[in-house]
Amino acid sequence: MTPDEASRGFESVFGEKPQVIVRAPGRVNLMGDHTDYNEGLVLPIAIDRYFIIAAAPYRGESIEIHSDALNERAVFPLSTDHRRTPKSWAKYPFGV
């Protein structure tokens, strides 16, 4: 997927142009897995996989996300009890 494709996809799902598009590489840890957040040494490297996010500010009482790969949408009301996470691909973005 390209940034232009992400922009067109966002517009087709949400009915408006995104205000920001970002691309970030995936990474693997060659050594030190699970030590980077414990102040230990880690040696990560970027890999040839990446993700692209197209986004716009939310309006209203919920946050909506859409997975182009799965063609699924998830909606998180801002008042949701964050101890009750979804049981799907949306679990990680919900936590973030």
Side-chain angles (χ1 to χ4, degrees):
M1 174 175 285
T2 67
D4 287 338
E5 291 170 329
S7 180
R8 287 191 298 273
F10 184 94
E11 193 168 357
S12 72
V13 170
F14 295 106
E16 64 179 295
K17 292 185 184 255
Q19 291 191 16
V20 65
I21 298 174
V22 296
R23 179 178 184 261
R27 80 171 205 182
V28 295
N29 290 337
L30 290 180
M31 60 180 252
D33 205 18
H34 301 291
T35 63
D36 51 350
Y37 49 81
N38 290 316
E39 298 183 26
L41 299 176
V42 65
L43 180 59
I45 61 168
I47 58 174
D48 64 350
R49 304 283 192 251
Y50 59 90
F51 66 91
I52 294 178
I53 295 175
Y58 71 91
R59 294 171 182 86
E61 299 298 318
S62 63
I63 296 172
E64 298 180 39
I65 60 174
H66 181 269
S67 167
D68 189 60
L70 298 173
N71 195 28
E72 291 181 7
R73 180 184 274 191
V75 179
F76 307 131
L78 294 176
S79 61
T80 297
D81 179 354
H82 291 286
R83 293 171 292 178
R84 299 178 60 195
T85 60
K87 293 180 169 69
S88 70
W89 64 272
K91 190 174 194 174
Y92 181 78
F94 176 80
V96 171

